[in-house]
Amino acid sequence: MKKTTKLLIKRAIGYIIGLVLFFAPFGLYQRGLMALLGEHGNPDIHKVCYTMSIQSLLTGGLAKYSLGVALVSLYLLMIVTVFFGPVFCGRLCPVGALPEYLSRIMPEKLKLKLKDKVNPTPIRYGFLIAFAAAPLLGTSLTCTFCGFSFMQRLLNIPTVGNIGVLLSSTIITGILWLIIGGLFNAGGRGWCNYCCPVGAFQSLIHAVCARLPFTFKLKIDRDKCKACGLCAAACPMGSLKLEGGELHRNIHSCMECGYCKGLCPTGALSYGTGRDGWNDSMISIKKKETADEKA
Amino acid sequence: MKKRDLGTMAAVAGTTLLSASAAGAAGCTGACGACSFTCALPVMGVACLAVGGQILIKKKSSGKGGEKK
């Protein structure tokens, strides 16, 4: 079996675990937490609803929440992101994984290379700002464009027997998430890259916390890196790029899925604590070059 | 972050907020679904054009004309 296939299967197992943990009819995570907190209700994705609680956190509306499943989940997500980066996106979230895996069956020539052409950072953070500020203008974007809700609807077909109420915004979400951002997009993570507020929120935390030495992050050993570009070509989020013979990473879109680490033939990429090596090494290389020039 | 990126971020945030508040002001809650086709068809059209355009550009650049320098 090819190394890439093995890695894809390994990652898919994580996403299936995420599906069983967070989505009805399983919802094992919600069931466990509800039993612990003495709550009742349906164990579907709405019980957790990261989008609503993130919006409440950003607009100062958390006071209305009691310490229930949603609030505890938000705090857990934040703590995990502080220490381990956006691993929920990279290792568990089936909503991002479904379009990514679907896009792999589409011929490459039919795919748009959005990640190479459009920088996702300003768009995802711009959308996060709008998402947070919308309630101040008397409106909300939480349920209007929700990939999580759409995934739950898809799962409802075999279990409940219908897809639920299909609203205009739901159809647009489906088209953006599965077709434009998924099937016809290289990497298949267009929705995650440009539209997901949960991912953008985690990236924001990770971009700050990755500077701390005790947090986990994607690291590079510049001495081992041969700049072969294998990781850059495979990264589903388009976070890695080869420029001027050097590998660069966009921390604002990296979801710490570990696919690049597994593919690297020289073991230059790793996931761990300490200095990440991305900027420091570049500085040291530049310093070395200047020293050589002077000599 | 570059100035251009900050501009893009502001533009995305602004247009999203404007369209959301305009829809809200017009009484749209996204609940009735009556405009499904009027909303969905242009999006699908744009997607088809984008995919088609991408293929045409690729064919052109690898064909007789070659890439412009």
Side-chain angles (χ1 to χ4, degrees):
Chain A
M1 196 187 283
K2 273 185 180 179
K3 195 179 181 183
T4 46
T5 318
K6 272 187 189 172
L7 281 168
L8 284 173
I9 292 172
K10 196 178 158 189
R11 285 180 61 213
I13 292 169
Y15 299 128
I16 292 166
I17 292 172
L19 190 82
V20 173
L21 280 177
F22 295 102
F23 288 85
F26 319 102
L28 297 185
Y29 167 81
Q30 287 95 317
R31 284 178 203 272
L33 209 54
M34 280 194 298
L36 208 69
L37 298 168
E39 267 191 42
H40 301 282
N42 289 327
D44 71 353
I45 193 68
H46 294 99
K47 195 74 183 170
V48 179
C49 193
Y50 286 125
T51 52
M52 194 67 92
S53 47
I54 287 172
Q55 184 185 263
S56 300
L57 178 80
L58 297 175
T59 50
L62 267 191
K64 69 180 180 187
Y65 275 73
S66 58
L67 195 69
V69 172
L71 199 57
V72 171
S73 304
L74 175 67
Y75 288 147
L76 272 176
L77 179 80
M78 286 166 68
I79 292 166
V80 168
T81 310
V82 164
F83 289 102
F84 301 100
V87 286
F88 172 77
C89 298
R91 317 256 167 133
L92 280 177
C93 182
V95 182
L98 180 65
E100 185 200 322
Y101 279 74
L102 277 178
S103 82
R104 292 181 189 278
I105 58 172
M106 190 59 78
E108 284 299 319
K109 63 178 181 181
L110 291 177
K111 289 181 196 170
L112 290 164
K113 289 189 172 51
L114 278 177
K115 59 184 184 181
D116 295 338
K117 287 172 185 160
V118 188
N119 182 8
T121 313
I123 296 177
R124 69 196 321 231
Y125 286 149
F127 188 73
L128 182 69
I129 292 167
F131 167 83
L136 306 173
L137 294 173
T139 183
S140 172
L141 293 168
T142 50
C143 303
T144 318
F145 292 100
C146 184
F148 293 93
S149 176
F150 202 102
M151 183 88 186
Q152 184 64 72
R153 283 166 200 274
L154 289 180
L155 283 167
N156 280 353
I157 301 171
T159 54
V160 182
N162 66 62
I163 198 167
V165 186
L166 276 177
L167 311 175
S168 52
S169 54
T170 317
I171 293 170
I172 294 173
T173 304
I175 292 166
L176 285 173
W177 171 51
L178 284 175
I179 299 173
I180 301 175
L183 271 175
F184 292 104
N185 181 33
R189 291 259 181 182
W191 175 268
C192 309
N193 243 342
Y194 299 104
C195 302
C196 182
V198 181
F201 179 68
Q202 287 179 85
S203 290
L204 199 61
I205 295 174
H206 183 53
V208 177
C209 295
R211 294 163 196 267
L212 304 170
F214 55 86
T215 56
F216 283 74
K217 70 277 277 179
L218 181 70
K219 292 161 63 175
I220 184 168
D221 186 339
R222 292 274 177 201
D223 295 331
K224 285 184 184 172
C225 180
K226 305 289 178 204
C228 63
L230 207 63
C231 53
C235 178
M237 294 289 275
S239 302
L240 298 170
K241 267 183 191 146
L242 263 182
E243 276 170 3
E246 242 184 26
L247 190 66
H248 297 271
R249 177 196 57 166
N250 182 0
I251 197 169
H252 300 284
S253 64
C254 174
M255 58 174 183
E256 305 288 352
C257 65
Y259 192 39
C260 53
K261 182 179 74 101
L263 284 176
C264 183
T266 59
L269 295 169
S270 60
Y271 177 70
T273 56
R275 288 190 167 185
D276 59 16
W278 292 98
N279 297 325
D280 299 347
S281 306
M282 278 161 71
I283 292 164
S284 64
I285 286 165
K286 275 178 190 167
K287 276 183 184 168
K288 198 182 167 190
E289 278 173 357
T290 348
D292 289 346
E293 277 167 17
K294 277 181 185 173
Chain B
M1 201 173 267
K2 291 172 194 170
K3 268 186 184 176
R4 194 181 61 182
D5 291 340
L6 287 173
T8 313
M9 195 194 288
V12 170
T15 45
T16 312
L17 273 175
L18 271 176
S19 57
S21 55
C28 173
T29 57
C32 73
C35 58
S36 291
F37 277 98
T38 51
C39 283
L41 283 178
V43 175
M44 285 170 75
V46 169
C48 292
L49 279 175
V51 173
Q54 178 93 349
I55 295 163
L56 278 176
I57 290 165
K58 267 191 180 176
K59 273 189 180 172
K60 204 177 176 184
S61 62
S62 61
K64 288 177 187 174
E67 279 183 272
K68 284 182 183 178
K69 285 183 182 175

